Amino acid sequence: MPFLAIEASSEYLSFAINTPSGIVSREWLAGQKQSEVTLPYLQTFLNECGLTMRDIEGIAYPSGPGSFTGLRIGCGITQGLAFARNIPAVGISTLLAIAEASGAIRVVSCLDARMNQVYFSAFENRNGQWHTVIDALVCNPEDVPLPDGDGYTGVGNGFSAYQAALETRLGTKISTVKPDLYPHATQLLTLALPHFAAGEGLAADQAQLVYLRDKVALKTHERVQK
């Protein structure tokens, strides 16, 4: 039973499908053109896999946080495709997806939220299952909460954008940093498959996003103050 993952929350657009030989994926650098290229690239990917949407049994999508526009595009396309096929959808946290990509046991996930802030969460993998250590939030990099214990791997572009502030704040909590990791459809699908297997997929109209904040950009006077 093939399931599809669509990841459009960053400048990279990716898709993944599970096959008898494992998960296959494809990625494009879409920049700010997700609305223009997602459906055509999805069709290309399906053709390469020898599949059509009629073969897909469920769709995983990024539930956020991340780019407002990219998240809405990914969720909207997922809702449309899932509704047309009457198949379930599963939303996966972008912060958890990059934790999964890290290969680490303890992970601090941090994405650049713009406006001098970060999206932040911490996770620990226990016996193959991810557990949330710190719930997802948005805050200034110098104010991120400290997870219990140490030996965490820091992942995500927040560590590129606010390296000094995060390293000062987290100190010895962090042993390794992988700032180049970003959400990818492969990890979305890996995390979503157990939910599909357990019958935990949602109807298309119930697919939701986690924004963490409603404000998209600073006003002119706020940018001047910064």
Side-chain angles (χ1 to χ4, degrees):
M1 294 174 60
F3 293 90
L4 168 70
I6 300 173
E7 193 353 277
S9 69
S10 73
E11 61 181 346
Y12 291 95
L13 172 67
S14 59
F15 305 101
I17 288 177
N18 61 306
T19 72
S21 58
I23 292 176
V24 297
S25 64
R26 183 78 186 273
E27 175 184 279
W28 288 267
L29 178 59
Q32 303 300 314
K33 297 182 178 180
Q34 293 99 329
S35 62
E36 302 172 31
V37 302
T38 298
L39 285 175
Y41 285 177
L42 173 57
Q43 187 60 59
T44 297
F45 177 61
L46 289 170
N47 291 342
E48 291 174 350
C49 295
L51 298 169
T52 71
M53 280 305 303
R54 290 189 296 273
D55 300 306
I56 302 301
E57 297 296 329
I59 306 174
Y61 69 96
S63 60
S67 159
F68 282 44
T69 300
L71 288 173
R72 288 168 178 161
I73 290 169
C75 185
I77 288 177
T78 295
Q79 287 177 318
L81 295 173
F83 179 80
R85 285 273 293 109
N86 192 28
I87 55 177
V90 167
I92 298 294
S93 161
T94 51
L95 295 168
L96 182 57
I98 56 176
E100 173 73 17
S102 72
I105 300 299
R106 285 181 163 182
V107 181
V108 166
S109 296
C110 189
L111 293 172
D112 184 4
R114 311 300 181 184
M115 298 170 60
N116 302 304
Q117 292 188 314
V118 294
Y119 298 122
F120 183 88
S121 190
F123 307 94
E124 184 173 11
N125 195 306
R126 305 170 196 156
N127 300 317
Q129 298 292 323
W130 285 107
H131 297 266
T132 301
V133 176
I134 296 175
D135 289 330
L137 74 161
V138 60
C139 64
N140 297 331
E142 63 271 20
D143 297 326
V144 297
L146 300 180
D148 292 333
D150 52 19
Y152 285 83
T153 295
V155 299
N157 64 5
F159 284 95
S160 295
Y162 307 102
Q163 178 182 356
L166 289 169
E167 288 182 352
T168 298
R169 173 61 174 163
L170 294 167
T172 58
K173 297 284 184 181
I174 300 294
S175 59
T176 306
V177 175
K178 298 181 179 179
D180 296 331
L181 292 183
Y182 53 88
H184 193 280
T186 297
Q187 283 73 48
L188 290 184
L189 188 55
T190 299
L191 293 165
L193 285 175
H195 294 286
F196 285 123
E200 296 171 350
L202 299 175
D205 62 352
Q206 295 179 316
Q208 297 180 351
L209 293 171
V210 177
Y211 291 118
L212 296 184
R213 75 176 179 208
D214 298 322
K215 196 171 183 180
V216 180
L218 291 172
K219 296 178 180 178
T220 300
H221 74 277
E222 292 172 321
R223 290 197 297 269
V224 171
Q225 291 174 353
K226 295 292 183 181

